[in-house]
Amino acid sequence: MDLLHLTAAELGRKIKNREVSVAEAVKAVLAQAKEMEPEINSYVTLDEAGALMQAESVQKRIDSEELTGPLAGVPAAVKDNMCIEGQLTTCSSKILSNFRPTFTAEAVKNLQKAGAVIVGKTNMDEFAMGSTTETSYYGPTKNPHNLMHVPGGSSGGSCAAVAAQECWYALGSDTGGSIRQPSSFCGVVGLKPTYGTVSRYGLIAYGSSLDQIGPVAKDVTDCAAILEAIASHDEKDSTSVQRKDYDFTSALVCDVKGMKIGIPRDYMREGLDPEVADAIWKAAGVLKEQGAVIEEFDLSLVKYAIPAYYVIASAEASSNLERFDGVKYGYRTADYEGLHNMYKKTRSEGFGAEVKRRIMLGSFVLSSGYYDAYYLKALRTKALIKQAFDRAFESYDLILGPAAPTTAPELGKSLQDPLKMYLGDIYTISVNLAGLPGMSVPIGKDRKGLPVGMQLIGNSFQEKMLIRAAYTYECATGKQYEVPADIHPKSGREA
Ligand code: GLN
């Protein structure tokens, strides 16, 4: 039986019905990963022995009917910035290249409670800073749809692993688009929840006021099921929210009749690749045919989002990354003279260029002479961006637009001009600044065969609205996930 082409929910059903054992599923995905990894490099760590051991214990819990949920026994991957007790957790940085945490992130624990088998930790931009997965200490991840292109970032490893069938689903994290943009580049579904929905306990912080963990999956059904499993109120995270609704799968309904969807005019103007724009208009047309009301409107202030984001995210990063000093954990330089020299050499050798750039920018905007001019101004801008969204959601149920201005760029191109790379975050970062939920759904391919995604943005706590619209799009157009052409011949693997 070809297991790899199944979605997580389909595989979960087969495991539940005893058509497939958990060990069979794990072996199939490990074999696929071993074949794909030399080319794609989705994983920092592939935990073969651990996955087989988990398979055994999860199978027992399924057999005793302790585990009955849709994800029980389904192999998954976790971005390498989420702690798992005893397992290497590197953030794709040299400075954490030997770090084995003594505890497990709450979101991962929730997955384990749902019966997930974690097969490995996925590659990412160092400390989640980047848009291409090229800043990883472990080398870049390649886009499974075209190995000459990046998978996006920073959750590029998670998205490439799902696209290349090296796991059935994955967790990513999104500070300024890091789930939605790589999902769009890799042709998979990714969701960034409302801030506070998924616990950040055990997620190594980048920009704490912006970071959220979320699912990456082959389709909307899986995405809803994963979110349902990982979302929880957690007292260990002071920003965790107690929500009224955690039943995200109840929104898997094919119906958008009367739903009001706004398309920001400023999202569809210059700077947007015409092929991406066409795909977005077509997708909007599909939702309109299904009964949604589509209108264009002005979402002002978008142009201030990039400077505000890079000031706030870098400020928080410079503070969060102070803890990596060679004393408490992680890498320490080999030779040094005295404590200060040890700090300096450890951090100089342990961090890569992009991370150093952010630490310097962050320290600068927080320094006493510039705090008001930059940091405070950015916080005020953030408040105005939230107000602009609040106004938009008085008229619309959802906002629709692109997830990124282009499809996946070629490897090696983006880092040549970091400022230009930052501009690529234009459609995603304001969603984090406002704490809103956003989702990327595959809607087609460009002429080169690279996937295009649309972004749906909801008001706070309106994930179900996103899921309903995305599911309706999927019902109307058929499943969007496609096995990348490059790996097609190998996709018929037997369990
Ligand atoms: N590209 C953005 C950055 O570099 C977003 C990254 C993220 O969401 N983690 O900060």
Side-chain angles (χ1 to χ4, degrees):
M1 195 191 310
D2 174 12
L3 300 180
L4 297 178
H5 79 280
L6 300 174
T7 64
E10 288 165 352
L11 177 66
R13 239 182 334 263
K14 288 202 189 293
I15 291 174
K16 196 171 182 171
N17 297 337
R18 311 295 190 272
E19 290 169 57
V20 177
S21 72
V22 181
E24 278 169 335
V26 169
K27 283 179 192 155
V29 96
L30 286 175
Q32 173 76 351
K34 273 199 198 148
E35 195 162 328
M36 291 290 116
E37 276 306 275
E39 291 188 304
I40 294 178
N41 195 30
S42 302
Y43 285 98
V44 173
T45 307
L46 196 58
D47 181 21
E48 214 176 316
L52 290 167
M53 267 160 55
Q54 291 172 63
E56 211 177 299
S57 71
V58 168
Q59 185 72 60
K60 280 195 193 126
R61 287 163 68 205
I62 293 172
D63 291 343
S64 66
E65 316 244 316
E66 182 198 332
L67 283 174
T68 54
L71 298 175
V74 179
V78 170
K79 186 175 179 179
D80 210 18
N81 58 354
M82 291 171 223
C83 292
I84 300 187
E85 190 184 338
Q87 258 211 34
L88 208 57
T89 298
T90 70
C91 265
S92 288
S93 180
K94 181 175 178 181
I95 213 156
L96 284 179
S97 53
N98 60 1
F99 175 53
R100 288 181 191 272
T102 53
F103 61 97
T104 298
E106 190 70 6
V108 177
K109 261 200 180 146
N110 286 344
L111 269 194
Q112 289 167 337
K113 274 188 215 148
V117 174
I118 314 289
V119 294
K121 306 291 294 292
T122 55
N123 201 12
M124 53 187 277
D125 281 298
E126 187 179 1
F127 282 101
M129 298 171 191
S131 309
T132 63
T133 315
E134 292 173 295
T135 69
S136 167
Y137 176 59
Y138 299 98
T141 298
K142 316 273 172 60
N143 191 316
H145 291 271
N146 185 330
L147 300 174
M148 303 298 288
H149 289 249
V150 302
S154 65
S155 310
S158 292
C159 297
V162 173
Q165 304 183 322
E166 297 182 68
C167 59
W168 271 274
Y169 68 94
L171 295 189
S173 70
D174 192 312
T175 306
S178 279
I179 291 176
R180 289 159 288 155
Q181 182 256 36
S183 294
S184 159
F185 286 0
C186 290
V188 293
V189 180
L191 193 151
K192 178 239 166 237
T194 306
Y195 186 74
T197 297
V198 178
S199 168
R200 291 183 297 110
Y201 177 77
L203 168 70
I204 297 174
Y206 162 17
S208 319
S209 75
L210 309 162
D211 299 339
Q212 262 299 279
I213 294 173
V216 176
K218 285 179 185 167
D219 72 359
V220 180
T221 303
D222 284 0
C223 202
I226 302 158
L227 183 60
E228 202 160 296
I230 61 175
S232 65
H233 174 58
D234 179 12
E235 280 172 6
K236 297 187 291 312
D237 170 1
S238 61
T239 59
S240 170
V241 174
Q242 175 71 59
R243 293 180 57 133
K244 287 196 210 80
D245 58 335
Y246 287 96
D247 54 338
F248 299 105
T249 48
S250 69
L252 294 166
V253 177
C254 285
D255 181 14
V256 289
K257 270 179 224 80
M259 193 185 274
K260 289 197 75 183
I261 302 181
I263 299 182
R265 265 189 210 99
D266 19 358
Y267 276 30
M268 304 302 290
R269 286 194 186 131
E270 78 269 27
L272 180 64
D273 182 305
E275 282 192 80
V276 176
D278 275 358
I280 300 292
W281 288 122
K282 257 194 217 130
V286 170
L287 289 171
K288 193 172 173 189
E289 270 166 32
Q290 299 303 309
V293 180
I294 311 273
E295 269 173 30
E296 285 183 77
F297 75 106
D298 291 313
L299 181 66
S300 53
L301 293 170
V302 165
K303 62 173 182 268
Y304 303 116
I306 288 182
Y309 168 84
Y310 276 94
V311 167
I312 292 169
S314 300
E316 292 184 16
S318 73
S319 163
N320 278 324
L321 268 55
E322 267 171 27
R323 69 192 69 171
F324 305 108
D325 56 6
V327 176
K328 298 184 265 307
Y329 31 60
Y331 169 81
R332 180 187 296 175
T333 185
D335 306 305
Y336 52 89
E337 283 164 30
L339 184 65
H340 281 101
N341 182 250
M342 190 280 285
Y343 287 153
K344 195 170 164 182
K345 282 188 74 186
T346 295
R347 287 169 67 87
S348 302
E349 293 162 18
F351 290 130
E354 186 60 34
V355 173
K356 285 178 188 159
R357 201 159 22 237
R358 310 282 178 114
I359 292 174
M360 285 193 291
L361 177 62
S363 307
F364 175 77
V365 300
L366 288 177
S367 60
S368 60
Y370 294 100
Y371 186 87
D372 288 4
Y374 295 108
Y375 185 64
L376 271 190
K377 204 182 221 173
L379 287 184
R380 286 196 201 103
T381 310
K382 176 182 167 169
L384 290 174
I385 289 170
K386 174 78 172 80
Q387 283 170 21
F389 276 114
D390 286 346
R391 270 196 305 278
F393 287 119
E394 281 168 16
S395 309
Y396 301 106
D397 298 311
L398 278 186
I399 295 173
L400 189 160
T406 61
T407 54
E410 271 174 53
L411 278 159
K413 291 272 160 73
S414 309
L415 290 177
Q416 288 167 6
D417 187 350
L419 277 181
K420 199 169 155 214
M421 183 176 85
Y422 300 167
L423 294 176
D425 298 331
I426 177 89
Y427 307 123
T428 47
I429 49 183
S430 47
V431 174
N432 300 70
L433 288 170
L436 304 174
M439 188 170 187
S440 176
V441 183
I443 53 170
K445 300 241 175 91
D446 70 3
R447 250 176 302 134
K448 288 188 244 154
L450 290 164
V452 182
M454 71 168 158
Q455 182 181 202
L456 297 167
I457 302 167
N459 204 352
S460 297
F461 308 115
Q462 293 298 318
E463 281 83 354
K464 284 198 209 163
M465 192 81 77
L466 297 179
I467 291 168
R468 183 146 69 91
Y471 189 67
T472 305
Y473 178 82
E474 223 177 50
C475 289
T477 56
K479 288 257 183 290
Q480 291 298 310
Y481 171 78
E482 268 179 36
V483 183
D486 275 5
I487 69 166
H488 221 292
K490 298 162 192 156
S491 69
R493 186 185 306 287
E494 302 291 308

